[in-house]
Amino acid sequence: MAEQGEDQSGGEACTTEREPAAGRTALLIIDMFNTLDFGGGEKMRPAAEAAADAIARLRDEATEAGVPVVYVNDNYDQWHSERSRLVEMCRNSRGRALAEKLEPRADDFFIIKPQFSGFYATNLPVLLPHLEVSRLVLTGVAADICILFTAADAHMREYELWVPEDCTAASDAQRAEWALEIMRGSMKAEIAPTTKMTLKDWIDRA
């Protein structure tokens, strides 16, 4: 498992007083630091880069609104790795455009995961209650794997979910649509894109 420390859950930010998350919401950015070095990675790259643009805009809205931003990222079998090393690795890969568009800021949280779900063997189940969060906006890749698994675990923990369809990507567009429909139908997730529902709209639903 990845090392514990500042890059796991935000370090000092977890030990200082924070205002409760606006709308009881956190924005999760899943696996967008990605080398795209896998079967289907090159095929997914255009959709992932388009999603990165939409996620970057949503991240700016989250920061302005007081919604915490939590990066949840695979460790790519780099078991001694942490945030800066993962970011640098991705900057030197065919996923570099994603890393450049979404480089984490000092106040963002960063959790490294060893498996598909952001909840499995990570600090996320501890961090979210600390932030007084009960609603999640899930973004990132891949819609039919890590987003879907994270959404399932979040649903079992009774989190309300918004998975904006323009903020996700997969190597196969049909599989992405299939996964989003499962999240909408089985996990009661909102899947409206950010062009049709804003973060303020989501917060106002709380």
Side-chain angles (χ1 to χ4, degrees), residues 99-167:
E100 290 170 355
K101 292 171 189 280
L102 290 171
E103 183 166 359
R105 291 83 49 88
D107 290 338
D108 295 333
F109 297 92
F110 200 101
I111 289 175
I112 296 174
K113 65 183 178 69
Q115 267 294 347
F116 303 128
S117 171
F119 286 88
Y120 178 78
T122 74
N123 290 342
L124 191 62
V126 177
L127 175 63
L128 295 178
H130 174 81
L131 299 175
E132 300 185 38
V133 162
S134 60
R135 309 169 78 234
L136 299 175
V137 183
L138 303 185
T139 67
V141 297
D144 57 327
I145 305 175
C146 295
I147 303 297
L148 181 61
F149 278 68
T150 301
D153 276 354
H155 178 63
M156 287 191 293
R157 291 165 172 80
E158 300 185 338
Y159 286 93
E160 295 179 44
L161 298 173
W162 176 26
V163 189
E165 60 181 341
D166 58 333
C167 292

Side-chain angles (χ1 to χ4, degrees), residues 29 38 43 47 51-52 54 89 97 138 170 190 202 206:
I29 301 176
F38 56 87
K43 185 178 179 182
M89 181 177 71
L138 303 185
E190 173 62 70
W202 174 255

Side-chain angles (χ1 to χ4, degrees), residues 13 16-25 65-68 109 128-133:
T16 57
E17 291 297 322
R18 295 178 59 97
E19 291 294 323
R24 296 181 284 112
T25 293
V67 169
F109 297 92
L128 295 178
H130 174 81
L131 299 175
E132 300 185 38
V133 162

